[in-house]
Amino acid sequence: MKLIAVDHENPQDGLLEEAAHILQNHGLVAFPTETVYGLGALATSDEAVAKIFAAKGRPPTNPLIVHVADLDAAQSLVKEWPPEAEALARAFWPGPLTLVLRRTDRISPLVSAGLDTIAIRVPAHPVAKRLLELTAAPIAAPSANPYTRISPTTAQHVVQGLGDAVDLVIDGGQTPVGLESTLLSLVDGPPTLLRRGMISKEQIEKIIPLQDKTSLTFADHRPRHSPGLARKHYSPERPTRLVDSPEFQRLLNRRSPTQAFLGRGAHPDQENLICLPDNPEDYARGLYSALHRFDRAPFEQIIIERPPLSPEWEAIADRLWRASTE
Ligand code: TXA
Ligand code: MG
């Protein structure tokens, strides 16, 4: 595994050309997007895509997201481009929104895990964007973490999680959004939200009407039944509890050294207490780093303060619920 650092705003072509070359030769390159780091491979190559599943230990039944440089490239990979896709792409691309559409045969069938659809997005991060331009091909890239583990928001997270399974890791610093993209299906019936992200349901509903199949009822942030969406995802290794604020304070006041706490507010970090900023954008940006940090320490339990019940916190509430084990 090789690690190279690039300027995250103006990445150097000389460095990214090496990455593009590895991708074109069916290798694996981890790179920053605005959401999380992706584990990239040439989406047209069975050989390259198979390496993604092997490196992550991901079941071949779980399809991957394909990244493209622009709207034209996205359209060239799909059979139908419905008006909803046009409206959403114009509103949110480049950016953290992934659309599921009917696919053509240009992509390796392994990417779609046997489905006739493709999940596709145009990333906004300058490194991802330039890498796509230099590679001149679609790049399949799930989050660059071992299957069921926390997504990486720094290059160090990628190195710790995947190490030598990757040919090259591009270090572009911390990813600015911090949570995975919002995922929306535009096939088989009305537009449907499949995964929450920092582009909120409310923002999307300003553009098109939406059906919600994510696994929480956000009236109270409690789970409801949701077939087909794995809960065990984005998980820290330790038992993790999500508790309301008063209970969080109570447990914090009588904490034991084997417990780690993740709260909100302006308290300075301690070894077993991280307080993330009390606004959703900054909280999301820091969340996975906090969970990664606790995961590497010998705590027996992680206790997390439940987020506020408002739409801007819904994607965070979703990830915290998935991270929690009780
Ligand atoms: O922000 C992101 O989306 C990041 C960055 C790297 O772009 N990628 C990411 O990929 O989160 P991954 O593989 O960890 O999550 C992809 C999700 C999975 O839940 C997968 O089941 C779903 O997208 N997915 C992929 N293709 C699909 C399809 N054709 N139909 C329905 N769901 C699909
Ligand atoms: Mg993932």
Side-chain angles (χ1 to χ4, degrees):
M1 192 266 306
K2 186 173 171 183
L3 179 68
I4 55 168
V6 300
D7 181 331
H8 66 97
E9 281 170 351
N10 288 298
Q12 302 86 332
D13 272 1
L15 297 174
L16 291 189
E17 269 156 15
E18 182 184 351
H21 184 75
I22 291 172
L23 287 169
Q24 285 160 348
N25 287 286
H26 313 270
L28 290 184
V29 174
F31 60 97
T33 79
E34 67 275 32
T35 57
V36 299
Y37 275 73
L39 179 61
L42 203 60
T44 49
S45 159
D46 291 347
E47 179 194 342
V49 172
K51 287 182 188 169
I52 293 180
F53 287 95
K56 281 182 64 95
R58 177 166 173 139
T61 47
N62 193 355
L64 311 175
I65 291 177
V66 174
H67 299 67
V68 291
D70 54 36
L71 206 134
D72 283 352
Q75 286 175 336
S76 77
L77 300 182
V78 302
K79 272 198 182 132
E80 295 154 16
W81 183 252
E84 292 88 351
E86 181 71 20
L88 292 168
R90 297 226 171 267
F92 298 114
W93 280 358
L97 176 72
T98 300
L99 300 177
V100 174
L101 293 158
R102 202 72 64 195
R103 71 178 175 89
T104 62
D105 292 335
R106 280 195 52 213
I107 294 293
S108 161
L110 300 181
V111 168
S112 299
L115 302 171
D116 64 352
T117 55
I118 179 178
I120 192 163
R121 83 179 185 96
V122 177
H125 196 292
V127 173
K129 193 172 169 342
R130 191 63 189 139
L131 183 62
L132 282 161
E133 286 165 6
L134 291 171
T135 307
I139 300 177
S143 52
N145 52 283
Y147 182 60
T148 77
R149 307 309 317 286
I150 306 161
S151 290
T153 52
T154 67
Q156 287 67 39
H157 296 158
V158 179
V159 173
Q160 283 152 12
L162 294 175
D164 283 330
V166 191
D167 296 304
L168 178 74
V169 178
I170 304 174
D171 184 351
Q174 191 184 23
T175 57
V177 176
L179 296 188
E180 304 82 356
S181 60
T182 307
L183 180 66
L184 210 100
S185 173
L186 297 179
V187 298
D188 301 329
T192 303
L193 187 61
L194 299 178
R195 179 174 74 183
R196 290 190 177 249
M198 293 306 281
I199 293 180
S200 69
K201 189 180 167 188
E202 288 67 27
Q203 279 173 283
I204 292 164
E205 281 174 333
K206 285 188 183 137
I207 315 277
I208 59 159
L210 203 56
Q211 175 175 301
D212 184 357
K213 280 208 183 146
T214 60
S215 40
L216 297 187
T217 136
F218 286 91
D220 62 359
H221 288 176
R222 309 279 165 178
R224 68 170 149 76
H225 179 61
S226 160
L229 287 171
R231 171 174 179 188
K232 185 96 185 108
H233 215 112
Y234 322 108
S235 311
E237 264 187 285
R238 320 264 171 252
T240 302
R241 274 185 76 188
L242 195 55
V243 299
D244 293 331
S245 299
E247 173 73 351
F248 182 81
Q249 271 310 323
R250 200 180 63 78
L251 293 170
L252 186 61
N253 291 340
R254 38 156 245 196
R255 63 179 175 246
S256 89
T258 60
Q259 294 175 315
F261 291 81
L262 180 62
R264 293 191 313 279
H267 307 284
D269 282 0
Q270 297 163 28
E271 206 189 316
N272 61 347
L273 168 65
I274 297 178
C275 284
L276 291 170
D278 202 5
N279 70 79
E281 283 74 29
D282 293 332
Y283 187 105
R285 192 173 303 127
L287 174 60
Y288 288 161
S289 274
L291 294 178
H292 275 284
R293 203 186 99 190
F294 284 159
D295 238 12
R296 286 196 306 278
F299 295 115
E300 283 169 15
Q301 193 187 30
I302 300 172
I303 295 166
I304 305 178
E305 183 175 7
R306 202 184 290 281
L309 293 175
S310 60
E312 317 84 73
W313 288 89
E314 285 176 357
I316 292 165
D318 169 87
R319 298 310 189 277
L320 291 180
W321 173 67
R322 286 170 200 284
S324 67
T325 42
E326 50 184 279

